[in-house]
Amino acid sequence: MIQPHAIFNINGMITSEDIGISVLDRGYLYGDSLYEVVRSYRGVFVHLEEHLDRLENSARLCSMKLGQSRAVYREQILRTFEAFQKQPDMSRTDVYCRIIVTRGVGRIGFAHSKIQTPSQFTLILMPIEEPSPDQWKQGLHLWIADRLRNDSRALDPAMKSGNYLNSVLAYLETVETQRSLPVDDAVLCNSEGHVTEGTTFNIFYVRRGIVCTPPLEIGILDGITRREVIELARNEKMEVREVRFPRERLLEADEVFVTSSIKEVMAVTRINGIDLKSRQEGPVTRALRLLYRDSVDQRVAKLETGL
Ligand code: PDD
């Protein structure tokens, strides 16, 4: 069996002696890989099974045969996490865990017959960088990119592939362009001018108490946080609509927020240099952020007691 490599800390503390990844790996050659990012809370991965489900779904969407079983992925993630936590001062640290699977290593060329190994599997674990209380309050400053989201008939955004060049370019072209006010990240529209999602997060807006977000059919990632936030909002009797909308809707909204496993529920307070109505985290965003945190706490407690 192929042993996964574990890089415990991106700042140089590589615990695996030889991390050698072949230059003939399809991930390196063609971006022919998948990935997931899952985070831990107080020693527990709360959404690990959902991320493994999505990894399997992504593999189906790109006809990739996963070389290891789900049980092996789960076991290796937990084993590596345990080793990570044994490092000095890391026992209670919340981690960012990236699971990368590539189609394998072989000869140059696209055919499956060129591949000489099962899919390859790497884990990167590092401490989560939490936003400061001020950053939570201030929220994100986004820019709507000129670059379009990939069409689902091209590189389907529903598949969490390792080929993030679409997001990388949107980010570089917005965040790294000289502007009078700094920008944190980019949002992408599709060719019809509808808002889709951010580079690594889903997006929502609130107008007159109604929570709106683009539907999955538009060509976005089925975010695990998005799914949970929609459910939590509906449980609280909030109206949630999954609808297509143009970029103007974000600028006119009462509140805008984003969701991801890393950002959780985070307010957006400025878009394209324009201050939104709520210049700080708004009441609906705050309510959903706290509900999400509560739900995470409940899951942690459940997993800790093994119930
Ligand atoms: N990004 N949309 C895109 C394009 C994403 O890459 C992600 C996740 C999400 C949110 O999905 P989830 O709620 O399941 O994390 C939406 C991760 C965090 C990343 O690539 O780092």
Side-chain angles (χ1 to χ4, degrees):
M1 196 191 74
I2 297 159
Q3 284 299 316
H5 303 291
I7 310 178
F8 291 156
N9 190 317
I10 206 97
N11 299 322
M13 269 184 42
I14 296 172
T15 8
S16 171
E17 241 41 336
D18 78 317
I19 193 70
I21 291 175
S22 170
V23 292
L24 293 174
D25 188 294
R26 298 272 292 224
Y28 185 69
L29 288 176
Y30 302 123
D32 189 0
S33 62
L34 304 172
Y35 82 97
E36 282 294 325
V37 173
V38 53
R39 68 159 285 178
S40 73
Y41 291 88
R42 298 187 299 287
V44 182
F45 287 115
V46 288
H47 292 120
L48 183 54
E49 297 308 320
E50 287 88 340
H51 284 277
L52 292 176
D53 282 343
R54 193 167 63 193
L55 180 67
E56 288 176 347
N57 190 47
S58 295
R60 266 191 297 276
L61 289 173
C62 70
S63 312
M64 185 187 292
K65 186 173 177 313
L66 294 176
Q68 295 81 30
S69 71
R70 185 185 179 109
V72 168
Y73 290 134
R74 185 189 299 116
E75 184 197 314
Q76 297 292 0
I77 291 163
L78 297 178
R79 187 186 65 87
T80 306
F81 184 40
E82 212 176 289
F84 177 89
Q85 289 180 301
K86 285 196 181 128
Q87 294 179 112
D89 303 325
M90 288 297 159
S91 64
R92 303 298 290 168
T93 304
D94 289 341
V95 305
Y96 166 109
C97 172
R98 190 181 183 97
I99 307 151
I100 305 151
V101 182
T102 81
R103 204 183 293 267
V105 181
R107 284 173 291 130
I108 288 179
F110 295 154
H112 275 110
S113 58
K114 302 272 184 192
I115 304 173
Q116 293 161 339
T117 70
S119 69
Q120 302 286 296
F121 167 39
T122 310
L123 295 174
I124 302 173
L125 275 77
M126 54 187 177
I128 280 263
E129 281 173 34
E130 291 278 5
S132 67
D134 268 359
Q135 283 171 316
W136 279 115
K137 213 166 122 189
Q138 184 196 302
L140 289 169
H141 297 163
L142 299 183
W143 197 277
I144 300 168
D146 291 334
R147 186 164 295 274
L148 301 179
R149 188 57 145 179
N150 290 321
D151 190 286
S152 333
R153 292 162 298 178
L155 192 58
D156 188 355
M159 172 177 68
K160 196 156 172 56
S161 92
N163 189 327
Y164 256 48
L165 206 46
N166 186 221
S167 285
V168 170
L169 294 178
Y171 182 96
L172 295 179
E173 289 161 4
T174 52
V175 177
E176 297 199 357
T177 295
Q178 203 62 38
R179 301 184 197 282
S180 47
L181 297 168
V183 172
D184 295 311
D185 217 318
V187 178
L188 295 96
C189 292
N190 63 13
S191 57
E192 283 159 19
H194 294 134
V195 173
T196 61
E197 61 183 338
T199 57
T200 54
F201 47 84
N202 293 112
I203 191 153
F204 290 72
Y205 78 84
V206 185
R207 180 84 170 153
R208 298 197 189 93
I210 300 172
V211 180
C212 300
T213 193
L216 296 181
E217 308 79 71
I218 203 170
I220 55 173
L221 189 71
D222 181 4
I224 290 157
T225 323
R226 173 189 182 278
R227 235 187 277 159
E228 181 139 345
V229 164
I230 291 175
E231 195 183 320
L232 289 168
R234 288 189 172 142
N235 287 346
E236 288 298 301
K237 307 275 178 279
M238 292 183 198
E239 187 175 342
V240 182
R241 292 187 192 161
E242 294 177 69
V243 285
R244 290 166 202 257
F245 58 85
R247 62 175 72 199
E248 293 72 33
R249 220 54 81 67
L250 292 179
L251 297 165
E252 297 156 4
D254 297 329
E255 297 176 41
V256 177
F257 64 89
V258 301
T259 62
S260 83
S261 304
I262 300 303
K263 292 187 164 57
E264 303 182 320
V265 176
M266 195 165 197
V268 177
T269 52
R270 190 186 296 150
I271 297 182
N272 287 30
I274 301 165
D275 284 332
L276 299 183
K277 275 187 206 148
S278 67
R279 293 182 182 205
Q280 288 193 349
E281 184 184 59
V284 177
T285 307
R286 182 179 153 75
L288 290 172
R289 175 167 66 79
L290 296 178
L291 280 169
Y292 182 75
R293 267 292 166 125
D294 274 358
S295 156
V296 163
D297 286 346
Q298 283 169 26
R299 280 169 184 265
V300 171
K302 231 174 167 179
L303 289 162
E304 272 174 349
T305 52
L307 295 173

